[in-house]
Amino acid sequence: MPTARTWLERIRKLPLPGTVRVMNVCGGHERSITMAGLRGALPPRIELIPGPGCPVCVCPEEDIYAAIRLARREGFIVVAFGDMLRVPCNAPRAEPRSLEQAKAAGGDVRPVSSPQEALVIAHANPEKQVVFFAAGFETTTAPVAGLVARGSIDGLPSNFSILLSGRLTWPAVAMLLDSDTPGFDALVAPGHVSTVMGPEQWAFVVEKHGIPAAVAGFRTESLLAAFYSVLRQVIEQRPFLDNCYSAVAKPGGNPTAQAVLNQVMDVTDANWRGIGVIPGSGFTLKAEWGGLDARVRFDIRPDEDRKRAGEMPPGCDCARVVLGKIYPNQCALFGRACTPRNPIGPCMVSDEGACRIWWASGVREPVVADVGAGHTRDVFEISEETEKSRPRAAPTASESPARPPPASIKKNQ
Ligand code: SF4
């Protein structure tokens, strides 16, 4: 199986027609790309653009504000995945602006790493209302649906409810592609989402838009195999959906996970922070599970909360970062007003946020350059010291080479 080094050599030999912009839509991909130093290792005409891959970054202000308000209520415990606790919203200055601040102000806020942990807290605190603030993409929402589905058999504690902020990944990509300026020439699709929903979910990128696409895992060689595949597709003008994560992302995905999602959730239009409403991009609990829905149980009014929580903090460019319109360090606040210690926007908080990932890799200075202008190396400046000390991913066996198109999704041949 080809190693990462072999894939790199193959990519370097490709006769690229010009700048090729490859978007990823997965925080895990962006972290692997950045930490392995792939931007510096690939030819400069290949631009690797982080896109909408961070569910915490797109969680709307009104949901965060609702969670903060619940946490401040007497007799309530709000539990959430850890990186959500520090995500700020633009609440009035006299009020806590994050769950962490709500906790400092006396609220009972607890980090969890799984839905089951939230349930354990509910069982252990029967005298309190335990609200599970669940923000995430398909891979995170499916276990929440599983918990609810199992609860219909085993029973869930009456003091347990869910403030759901689940999102589907592909509609954000569809929205970009339906716009006049999608901003990328090829897509590397998320392997973990494909594992749940099936790689075929990304066929529309090729079939409707004629854009090369490949599903990739998190390892360097899987990502490089996907880059090689989409670049070759660009050169040959023969787009198809490649699966470079075939050992894990099987055709059809995970039917059990999809069944519980369909059983428990409806797909509805949903607000994305700083971006607006994207049709068919949100999960909500079906009406029959309304008793578990914290919005129903505690009369949460998103429109009113939105007015109180406000928009993105002034100067924060997270929406454009999330949509791949600018690189993280093109935000004027990057590294100045906004750092992981003092985050202004969600992209600097979450482990899957592009600003946080770039900062963690050693990028420090804001740089002004345009996405798509062939400036990746200039934009992605890393201090010499950091560059020397940065761990490099060791080349290992590839999970899958690029392969010819499946007959069902051949196009433009
Ligand atoms: S650097 Fe901070 S303020 Fe700017 S886009 Fe990133 S998170 Fe938002």
Side-chain angles (χ1 to χ4, degrees):
M1 298 289 275
T3 63
R5 190 180 305 280
T6 303
W7 284 119
L8 266 178
E9 284 163 4
R10 288 181 184 175
I11 290 171
R12 286 174 181 151
K13 286 179 188 157
L14 287 173
L16 296 174
T19 297
V20 182
R21 303 163 299 173
V22 184
M23 177 174 275
N24 74 75
V25 290
C26 168
H29 280 176
E30 181 54 29
R31 194 180 314 112
S32 297
I33 289 166
T34 304
M35 295 306 175
L38 294 188
R39 286 189 175 84
L42 291 171
R45 287 201 291 184
I46 301 169
E47 290 208 19
L48 304 181
I49 301 170
C54 169
V56 167
C57 302
V58 302
C59 182
E61 291 88 342
E62 58 268 28
D63 290 3
I64 298 167
Y65 189 62
I68 291 171
R69 285 203 305 125
L70 288 173
R72 299 183 72 197
R73 283 173 68 168
E74 192 61 39
F76 277 68
I77 302 173
V78 170
V79 299
F81 296 123
D83 52 356
M84 180 53 83
L85 268 54
R86 295 189 69 220
V87 175
C89 71
N90 208 14
R93 286 208 174 274
E95 299 181 31
R97 293 184 151 196
S98 67
L99 282 169
E100 191 179 57
Q101 288 183 11
K103 183 179 170 71
D108 197 341
V109 178
R110 305 185 191 184
V112 292
S113 54
S114 71
Q116 284 69 27
E117 217 177 311
L119 209 51
V120 168
I121 291 172
H123 279 298
N125 295 274
E127 76 290 357
K128 295 199 169 183
Q129 289 291 332
V130 176
V131 180
F132 177 29
F133 182 22
F137 286 140
E138 295 91 332
T139 43
T140 307
T141 308
V144 176
L147 179 123
V148 174
R150 272 198 309 282
S152 66
I153 301 166
D154 304 338
L156 289 169
S158 60
N159 64 328
F160 179 74
S161 59
I162 300 170
L163 180 61
L164 185 64
S165 196
R167 296 288 180 271
L168 290 94
T169 320
W170 72 264
V173 175
M175 183 200 71
L176 281 171
L177 287 172
D178 285 336
S179 72
D180 292 338
T181 52
F184 58 97
D185 309 300
L187 179 79
V188 168
H192 65 320
V193 172
S194 303
T195 302
V196 174
M197 308 304 279
E200 305 84 358
Q201 197 177 48
W202 302 99
F204 77 96
V205 175
V206 176
E207 293 173 352
K208 186 175 175 198
H209 302 280
I211 299 275
V215 175
F218 297 107
R219 295 171 67 158
T220 310
E221 59 270 28
S222 180
L223 280 161
L224 287 170
F227 294 151
Y228 177 78
S229 174
V230 295
L231 292 168
R232 204 178 62 185
Q233 293 176 48
V234 168
I235 292 164
E236 296 171 0
Q237 298 183 8
R238 198 173 62 102
F240 64 94
L241 174 63
D242 202 353
N243 184 1
C244 300
Y245 197 41
S246 56
V248 179
K250 304 290 185 190
N254 181 332
T256 306
Q258 291 169 32
V260 290
L261 277 170
N262 290 335
Q263 181 188 348
V264 172
M265 311 276 181
D266 281 328
V267 172
T268 54
D269 299 348
N271 191 23
W272 290 50
R273 185 172 187 167
I275 295 168
V277 173
I278 301 180
S281 68
F283 289 110
T284 54
L285 288 165
K286 283 184 189 287
E288 63 203 85
W289 307 101
L292 272 178
D293 190 336
R295 289 185 182 85
V296 175
R297 193 184 286 189
F298 304 117
D299 193 24
I300 291 171
R301 301 179 184 190
D303 289 344
E304 289 175 20
D305 283 343
R306 184 164 179 74
K307 281 183 202 149
R308 295 281 294 167
E311 304 290 339
M312 280 285 193
C316 174
D317 239 340
C318 277
R320 290 205 299 158
V321 169
V322 166
L323 293 176
K325 302 300 182 190
I326 61 168
Y327 289 112
N329 60 343
Q330 287 179 275
C331 170
L333 303 186
F334 183 92
R336 291 178 177 157
C338 184
T339 62
R341 188 169 289 187
N342 180 31
I344 303 291
C347 299
M348 192 58 94
V349 177
S350 171
D351 288 341
E352 295 186 294
C355 298
R356 175 69 179 257
I357 293 168
W358 280 43
W359 177 274
S361 77
V363 178
R364 289 290 179 270
E365 297 298 323
V367 176
V368 177
D370 295 332
V371 170
H375 292 155
T376 306
R377 280 170 188 273
D378 302 332
V379 171
F380 196 79
E381 280 178 353
I382 297 176
S383 70
E384 213 174 298
E385 198 180 321
T386 304
E387 180 65 34
K388 276 185 204 152
S389 62
R390 190 175 56 194
R392 297 262 174 191
T396 49
S398 170
E399 290 152 42
S400 163
R403 60 182 56 76
S408 60
I409 51 176
K410 277 183 183 174
K411 190 167 171 70
N412 296 342
Q413 296 181 63

